Amino acid sequence: MASILTQNAFKSIYDYMFRVGALIGTATRPAVVLEEISDAVHSGVAFQVDGRNSLTNGSSFNFMAKVGALPLHFIDFTLVTTAGEVVLELYENPTITSNGTAVASNNKNRSSTNTSLTACYGGTTASSNGTLIARHHILGSGHGAFTAGGSGGFGGEWLLKPNEDYLFKITNSSGSTIQYSVSFYYFEK
């Protein structure tokens, strides 16, 4: 029986998959395969947090994620700014003196009633930022009155520890007040 299941015995990979499916009873209804991110959305465990703010030159704004009991699969944190350079930093295990204002996490599966185990806050204050684990410089373009903003952030998956605090620090070093927006996308499994 084992020789029947070797790929070399078939005309193509599709023929192989069909015959193997027939052996296990799935030839008439093939298995649906989703990427892990899509599966998280369909399972109702993917969330997004969005915000917008202004920031004067030389000042910073902190956003905190208090990760719940499950690991947080951090997919993307994107920042879009109107002008000049902005530095985005991610810290682990900060010493928090004030959580700030709670920010809603929206479930990306609008049919799901699941809520995020991770609590998100804006305007967090910390006596110590913690351990720096990532830094990204978002550079504007142009010169003087013709300066344009930029966008960037932390893409690719990070797996953040359960029951840990993470601080996202946005610092404006553009030379002027900026407007910015952020989008934080993650899932919990």
Side-chain angles (χ1 to χ4, degrees):
M1 180 90 172
S3 63
I4 295 173
L5 299 178
T6 62
Q7 185 176 346
N8 296 336
F10 303 104
K11 295 179 241 172
S12 70
I13 187 68
Y14 301 106
D15 185 37
Y16 172 74
M17 291 170 60
F18 179 81
R19 290 187 188 191
V20 169
L23 289 174
I24 59 174
T26 61
T28 58
R29 185 167 185 244
V32 175
V33 178
L34 295 174
E35 290 185 4
E36 189 172 19
I37 295 169
S38 293
D39 180 56
V41 172
H42 288 256
S43 300
V45 295
F47 302 90
Q48 185 161 326
V49 176
D50 297 297
R52 183 173 185 248
N53 204 353
S54 62
L55 197 57
T56 58
N57 181 52
S59 64
S60 297
F61 182 83
N62 292 332
F63 170 84
M64 179 178 60
K66 291 179 84 60
V67 179
L70 293 175
L72 185 142
H73 299 253
F74 164 34
I75 303 303
D76 191 37
F77 189 97
T78 301
L79 183 135
V80 178
T81 178
T82 56
E85 181 177 350
V86 176
V87 179
L88 180 58
E89 297 169 312
L90 174 58
Y91 293 91
E92 184 175 62
N93 194 25
T95 304
I96 303 300
T97 55
S98 172
N99 286 344
T101 304
V103 179
S105 298
N106 297 305
N107 192 314
K108 292 185 67 91
N109 178 337
R110 302 309 301 149
S111 296
S112 175
T113 58
N114 292 341
T115 57
S116 178
L117 299 175
T118 298
C120 297
Y121 299 90
T124 303
T125 56
S127 59
S128 168
N129 289 335
T131 303
L132 178 66
I133 58 175
R135 176 181 286 136
H136 187 74
H137 293 265
I138 300 169
L139 305 175
S141 61
H143 181 69
F146 302 103
T147 302
S151 66
F154 305 121
E157 185 175 6
W158 287 72
L159 187 57
L160 303 184
K161 295 177 191 175
N163 302 311
E164 182 66 81
D165 293 344
Y166 290 88
L167 189 70
F168 297 83
K169 184 175 185 174
I170 302 164
T171 303
N172 176 7
S173 54
S174 71
S176 63
T177 298
I178 62 165
Q179 297 291 317
Y180 68 90
S181 66
V182 295
S183 182
F184 175 46
Y185 173 35
Y186 64 94
F187 66 90
E188 300 165 322
K189 277 191 171 185

